[in-house]
Amino acid sequence: MRTTPARVWLLSTVTVTAIVALFGSATFTLNQARDGLNVLGDNAGPQAMATTQLYLALADMDARMADVLLMGTDHDLGSGRADSLERYEESRGRANEALLQAASLTEGDTIEEHNVQAVLDGMGAYEQLATEARLINDEAGAPPGEVDEAALDSYREATRLMHTELLPKAFNLGLDSSAIVRANHEEGQGSVALGLVWVGVVGVLAVGSLIALQLYLRVRFRRRFNAFLLGATAGTVVLTVGVVLALNTSGGHQSRAKEEGLDAAMALARAGAIATDMQADQSRYLADPRLADNYQQTYLDRAQAVLFRPATNLDDYYEQIQGVTDSYPELPGSDGADEEDPGTLGYLGQRAQDTLLSGQEDALADVLAAYDAIQDGDEAMRAAAMAGDTEGAIEERMEIAHSEDGVFREYVDALDELTGLHVDAFDEGIDRGDRALAPWTWALPVGTLALLALVVLGVRPRLAEYR
């Protein structure tokens, strides 16, 4: 290594090795980033979103069956018995599809696979009991609001199975799916962050070796500069900075897609699922007088999960929810002025407002207004029931539950619109992340070959002087 050619060869080899290492580390990290986007955007993310639909589908099945029993012999109440049974079958199909998604997402997890199978088995038992209740009630010719006692016994057992076994497991599967997505995202982001460090370090080494080679040639051969090596140095800086910026940009889009898109959409889906079960408590309240007080309290508990305001009874809750819609976009208790007021919480409370993107404020306002309308209908229904007007109470209930123009339909439509905006944000974030990485599929290998060619062109004339 005492001769000039040997030293030039050594520095050139180190430089080429550093450039190749830069290519390798950048390629590996870019592939990790692409894999993370693919898992979130095409696999775990959509599967987790589908899993949250399991709770909704199961809750809707039980709600439709409660409506059918409440209708009794009057098959034209509300949107009709035939419509309720048709939507029951649709929800059953969605539940089966969601179970398949859950099975795919939890594959390899023995406990979760067992839970999926338990829900599947439980659905069979529920359907048997629910069908038995419907057939008994039909045979008894029970009029609206006067469900046959034997039919009620079967339905009580069915809805107990639904609420003590199936729905809790379905809800937990949804939470576990979210946890899986979060773990995959964090693991992927951590790997990319480590890769960024390697890209930066190797890029600095490559630039340093090019500068060392340039300085040695300048001193040894008395040249002011070597244009090819200067170009290679600038190109290495551009390549390194470009890859780092692309990875940071893509990672930012991926994080926003998860937090502002997927997480927010899944939370709103849970708001829809719990509200579906909540409004079904209205039919249970009217159909089963013996357990009416229990169903009234359960209604309030579920309502508080959807949109929480401090209230100890339904009358207080109606007033509080009216206050939310009246004060929006300011949420009651959000300023912290009253230490005893925890604020407006639940899936439609502060959490929903915090995840709003620009232009989504009106969509949340529509959801809150529709939710308030459900409470207005609930208040009217219970007032009629308390006054002994069973027919009027059933009519109020059926107006709420009408599948075409009921207030609950309006709530679902408004919630779907807001959820769709977050799903669009999720898709857009994944797409932007992909676009940030896409040019480097060809730019990185082409750029690396160009850098190597510049090194050869810069060194070869100097070595030729010693032939």
Side-chain angles (χ1 to χ4, degrees):
M1 294 298 173
R2 295 180 179 179
T3 64
T4 296
R7 290 170 181 166
V8 172
W9 272 110
L10 175 62
L11 287 172
S12 299
T13 300
V14 170
T15 299
V16 169
T17 301
I19 292 173
V20 171
L22 175 61
F23 171 78
S25 61
T27 298
F28 180 76
T29 307
L30 286 167
N31 285 338
Q32 283 190 312
R34 292 189 188 98
D35 288 344
L37 285 167
N38 180 63
V39 169
L40 182 62
D42 298 330
N43 297 316
Q47 287 174 354
M49 188 64 191
T51 302
T52 63
Q53 298 300 311
L54 177 59
Y55 188 107
L56 172 60
L58 292 173
D60 193 58
M61 286 174 63
D62 200 45
R64 300 298 176 182
M65 189 53 61
D67 288 343
V68 168
L69 294 176
L70 183 63
M71 291 177 193
T73 54
D74 190 344
H75 295 178
D76 295 326
L77 277 172
S79 50
R81 172 190 170 103
D83 180 77
S84 292
L85 290 176
E86 180 181 348
R87 292 178 185 276
Y88 173 91
E89 291 299 326
E90 291 175 356
S91 293
R92 184 165 66 91
R94 291 199 305 272
N96 286 326
E97 183 179 348
L99 280 170
L100 290 176
Q101 294 280 8
S104 174
L105 189 60
T106 59
E107 186 175 0
D109 188 327
T110 305
I111 295 177
E112 294 308 321
E113 287 179 341
H114 174 74
N115 285 338
V116 170
Q117 186 60 49
V119 174
L120 187 61
D121 294 341
M123 278 183 61
Y126 171 83
E127 288 186 66
Q128 182 177 355
L129 289 166
T131 300
E132 179 181 289
R134 176 172 58 83
L135 292 176
I136 292 174
N137 203 51
D138 289 347
E139 291 175 2
E146 298 180 22
V147 183
D148 180 78
E149 191 61 35
L152 266 181
D153 288 339
S154 294
Y155 178 71
R156 286 173 187 144
E157 191 173 348
T159 197
R160 187 181 303 113
L161 174 64
M162 180 65 79
H163 288 90
T164 60
E165 295 291 335
L166 302 186
L167 288 178
K169 284 184 171 63
F171 191 78
N172 287 337
L173 281 172
L175 293 179
D176 291 339
S177 297
S178 299
I180 290 172
V181 170
R182 183 172 60 253
N184 288 340
H185 174 71
E186 291 176 352
E187 181 180 354
Q189 292 289 81
S191 298
V192 170
L194 182 60
L196 274 169
V197 173
W198 278 107
V199 170
V201 169
V202 175
V204 170
L205 291 176
V207 170
S209 64
L210 280 164
I211 292 174
L213 179 58
Q214 170 83 357
L215 292 176
Y216 181 79
L217 293 179
R218 178 181 179 183
V219 172
R220 185 66 185 82
F221 293 91
R222 303 181 188 281
R223 302 288 199 279
R224 286 189 177 182
F225 60 85
N226 186 312
F228 292 114
L229 292 182
L230 283 176
T233 303
T236 302
V237 172
V238 170
L239 196 68
T240 302
V241 172
V243 170
V244 169
L245 287 177
L247 288 168
N248 277 324
T249 300
S250 177
H253 287 313
Q254 182 178 344
S255 293
R256 285 190 291 275
K258 176 185 175 296
E259 295 164 6
E260 298 174 356
L262 182 64
D263 290 350
M266 290 179 69
L268 292 173
R270 294 188 184 109
I274 295 173
T276 296
D277 204 23
M278 172 198 78
Q279 58 91 31
D281 281 322
Q282 296 172 338
S283 286
R284 301 183 193 110
Y285 168 83
L286 295 175
D288 193 349
R290 196 182 82 188
L291 298 179
D293 289 344
N294 291 348
Y295 288 129
Q296 179 167 300
Q297 183 59 47
T298 303
Y299 177 94
L300 177 58
D301 293 341
R302 293 193 175 108
Q304 293 280 37
V306 175
L307 183 58
F308 176 87
R309 287 294 296 147
T312 57
N313 56 63
L314 279 174
D315 288 335
D316 290 344
Y317 187 70
Y318 300 143
E319 183 178 350
Q320 290 280 10
I321 298 307
Q322 181 65 54
V324 172
T325 56
D326 289 344
S327 65
Y328 185 82
E330 295 296 326
L331 294 179
S334 60
D335 57 4
D338 185 353
E339 294 182 357
E340 296 183 359
D341 188 340
T344 305
L345 308 176
Y347 289 110
L348 298 183
Q350 194 67 52
R351 177 191 309 186
Q353 190 175 59
D354 289 344
T355 57
L356 286 178
L357 302 176
S358 178
Q360 293 183 351
E361 295 81 6
D362 289 344
L364 179 57
D366 291 341
V367 173
L368 293 174
Y371 184 77
D372 184 38
I374 293 174
Q375 305 312 319
D376 289 342
D378 186 78
E379 184 176 16
M381 181 203 75
R382 295 183 197 278
M386 291 295 293
D389 183 7
T390 302
E391 182 179 349
I394 293 175
E395 288 180 358
E396 290 287 349
R397 164 59 193 158
M398 291 304 163
E399 287 182 8
I400 294 171
H402 199 288
S403 60
E404 294 182 0
D405 55 9
V407 292
F408 187 71
R409 179 75 262 171
E410 293 176 4
Y411 167 77
V412 170
D413 289 343
L415 191 63
D416 285 348
E417 181 179 351
L418 179 57
T419 302
L421 294 175
H422 284 291
V423 171
D424 290 343
F426 170 70
D427 292 337
E428 183 179 359
I430 296 297
D431 184 56
R432 286 185 174 181
D434 281 330
R435 290 204 304 268
L437 300 178
W440 294 99
T441 303
W442 60 268
L444 183 59
V446 170
T448 301
L449 290 175
L451 293 178
L452 294 175
L454 288 172
V455 172
V456 171
L457 291 173
V459 171
R460 185 178 179 184
R462 306 288 78 81
L463 292 175
E465 296 179 14
Y466 285 88
R467 292 179 181 174

